[in-house]
Amino acid sequence: YFLQTRVTWGRIIAANLVAMLGFNLILNTLWLHLLYHIRIPMLLATRLPQEIIMFVVSTVMLVGLFRLPVTAKIIENERKRW
């Protein structure tokens, strides 16, 4: 199914947002709190700016990656194979 859909800015942003918020920010913060007993507001104060910056960097890199001709050729070959 995923090979039949186009890679767009919106899809990349949505996937990246789910990964960044769901895993990196929420779960990793929870695990750090449980392991080291650091208060969650203190963790969020340092992790939130980091995740915002990394969200932008990661999104731009993924869009750039999917714009490469090599990547487009690989995706097209996989679509033909399925």
Side-chain angles (χ1 to χ4, degrees):
Y1 169 76
F2 70 92
L3 289 174
Q4 298 171 358
T5 58
R6 265 185 79 73
V7 178
T8 62
W9 273 88
R11 291 176 193 266
I12 291 174
I13 289 172
N16 211 0
L17 194 63
V18 167
M20 290 284 180
L21 280 179
F23 299 117
N24 295 351
L25 190 61
I26 295 172
L27 289 178
N28 286 352
T29 302
L30 177 64
W31 294 328
L32 286 171
H33 168 70
L34 293 174
L35 287 172
Y36 300 112
H37 304 291
I38 302 171
R39 291 184 296 171
I40 291 179
M42 289 179 64
L43 286 170
L44 286 177
T46 58
R47 295 180 60 78
L48 192 59
Q50 171 198 356
E51 291 302 325
I52 291 171
I53 292 169
M54 287 308 299
F55 172 76
V56 173
V57 170
S58 177
T59 301
V60 169
M61 288 179 63
L62 281 173
V63 168
L65 177 70
F66 281 110
R67 302 265 178 191
L68 290 174
V70 173
T71 308
K73 187 175 180 180
I74 291 171
I75 291 172
E76 189 60 36
N77 286 341
E78 288 298 316
R79 283 181 182 156
K80 288 178 184 176
R81 205 171 77 161
W82 287 97

